[in-house]
Amino acid sequence: MANVKASCSAFEIQAEYCAAMDAPVTARVCTALAEALDRESETGRRVLDGVGEPVADALALRLVGGLHALHRSGVDPALSTVFSGAETDPARVTAVLKATLVAHDAALLLWLDGPPQTNEAARSAGMMTGILHLAERYGPRFELLEIGSSAGLNLLIDRYRFDLGGVTVGPSVSPVTIRPEWRGPPPPSARVEIESTRGVDIQPVDVADPAAAARLEVYVWVDAVERQARLATAIAMVREGGVDLVEGDAADWVEAQLALPQPEGVTRVLMHSVVWQYLSAASRERIRVAMDAAGARATAERPLGWVMMEPNRDLHRHEVRVRGWPGDRPMELVALTHAHGAWVEGLAPPYETRDYVMRRGAYDAE
């Protein structure tokens, strides 16, 4: 019974996030799934009786991705009335989803086997905000290391154009301009020169494969038309220019990258967005230890930074946090952001600072 309650609660929690992120159709689907799931299908049985942490494992997003794929394929007209927003009656939506889970059981079951790949280019706005804070401290030149890179869309951060509260960064001729609604004070108006970007993912997505690109597309919520268009352009940019993305374990890779020689005058930065919750406790601790050790070795000629955009589920918000070495300033909360980068709220000093141990989906102060 505990697993059933946890699984249903995961869909209710995801519905709250979707509603807060202006995705009413997806919120309606998640709410209905909490009622529709039963043991009439293998998919339902696996969701209700599965082991693990349903929220941290993004169980709701896995199943919603599968349903979105069915909608896009056009094989279930009743389901498409739900995903198009034509059907809004809660009881009817629940009934449609109950029928869909049985009728398309085998197809939906496959979507539970792996975590969602929700690579969102606009999350780069939060990370660039953090980079601007580091540029103000250490200078303009950066090499960026990203964990959880998925398809590498945020590794294009040097090729995107940003307008962050009037602070502009990046090539003016970029096919993608990321201009979130800006709230609060703007970030530092500092020059940024990104000399290299490298990334790792436990299971990278090769967007040269049409099936892999389509899988990315279905994890973009059906409500998010602008995100879908931006994703298509970013995929085209990766196909045209490539990215430095390898398959591997995040902790292994971070330790290896931090051991490499660092050019003088270049700040080395570890960055990640909506990734921390998917790492094991052991991997998170190894990365923290490796960064602390590298930070202790950092100098004014070879600085180190850490920029993250991660969800704080306790406070139901996404946070941009920054730390830099050398220096004795702890991790600082410099901005809040929409989960998919639609808006960013810059914060004014004094910034919230604590020593953080990051757990799945939130932050715990030591």
Side-chain angles (χ1 to χ4, degrees), residues 196-213:
S196 66
T197 63
R198 305 191 294 279
V200 68
D201 196 273
I202 194 68
Q203 191 175 356
V205 177
D206 179 7
V207 295
D209 177 358

Side-chain angles (χ1 to χ4, degrees), residues 12-263:
E12 294 165 353
I13 290 170
Q14 187 60 56
E16 292 175 3
Y17 268 94
C18 293
M21 299 301 165
D22 301 317
V25 173
T26 307
R28 191 178 303 122
V29 169
C30 290
T31 298
L33 281 170
E35 297 291 331
L37 285 162
D38 56 30
R39 293 184 174 82
E40 296 300 311
S41 65
E42 179 61 27
T43 300
R45 290 190 292 273
R46 184 163 162 190
V47 170
L48 295 174
D49 301 329
V51 297
E53 301 176 39
V55 173
D57 293 340
L59 188 64
L61 293 179
R62 297 184 193 205
L63 185 51
V64 170
L67 290 166
H68 190 186
L70 284 177
H71 159 63
R72 289 170 65 98
S73 71
V75 299
D76 191 320
L79 179 67
S80 289
T81 66
V82 172
F83 271 80
S84 69
E87 181 59 75
T88 61
D89 177 72
R92 180 58 187 158
V93 171
T94 299
V96 168
L97 293 177
K98 276 182 176 288
T100 301
L101 290 169
V102 173
H104 302 282
D105 191 16
L108 291 172
L109 191 62
L110 298 174
W111 290 84
L112 301 180
D113 289 338
Q117 293 280 12
T118 51
N119 203 187
E120 172 51 59
R123 286 177 177 157
S124 292
M127 290 189 286
M128 181 57 78
T129 297
I131 290 166
L132 285 164
H133 281 267
L134 292 174
E136 183 181 48
R137 296 187 210 175
Y138 301 123
R141 299 172 62 200
F142 290 91
E143 64 171 30
L144 304 180
L145 310 175
E146 186 189 31
I147 57 174
S149 296
S150 187
L153 302 189
N154 288 314
L155 292 174
L156 298 171
I157 192 170
D158 59 331
R159 294 177 238 175
Y160 295 147
R161 178 70 169 175
F162 295 90
D163 183 340
L164 306 174
V167 175
T168 56
V169 182
S172 59
V173 295
S174 174
V176 171
T177 296
I178 298 177
R179 186 185 292 110
E181 176 192 340
W182 192 269
R183 305 171 182 176
S189 182
R191 191 160 55 94
V192 172
E193 298 174 7
I194 299 174
E195 302 199 355
S196 66
T197 63
R198 305 191 294 279
V200 68
D201 196 273
I202 194 68
Q203 191 175 356
V205 177
D206 179 7
V207 295
D209 177 358
R215 188 176 179 87
L216 272 185
E217 291 167 351
V218 301
Y219 282 123
V220 176
W221 298 340
V222 70
D223 319 70
V225 176
E226 182 179 355
R227 286 181 62 204
Q228 292 165 2
R230 183 169 52 240
L231 174 62
T233 304
I235 287 173
M237 291 173 69
V238 173
R239 288 174 173 172
E240 179 180 356
V243 290
D244 187 348
L245 173 59
V246 298
E247 179 179 349
D249 174 80
D252 288 345
W253 187 81
V254 168
E255 291 168 348
Q257 294 296 312
L258 293 177
L260 294 175
Q262 180 176 345

Side-chain angles (χ1 to χ4, degrees), residues 268-313:
R268 175 173 284 169
V269 176
L270 174 65
M271 67 179 191
H272 51 88
S273 61
V274 196
V275 168
W276 203 253
Q277 63 188 313
Y278 299 117
L279 302 179
S280 70
S283 290
R284 295 195 298 271
E285 178 63 10
R286 283 176 58 193
I287 292 169
R288 186 188 66 79
V289 169
M291 289 295 288
D292 283 344
R297 300 190 300 268
T299 65
E301 292 75 28
R302 292 177 174 84
L304 178 71
W306 194 346
V307 174
M308 64 184 71
M309 186 217 125
E310 295 289 346
N312 183 328
R313 293 192 181 274

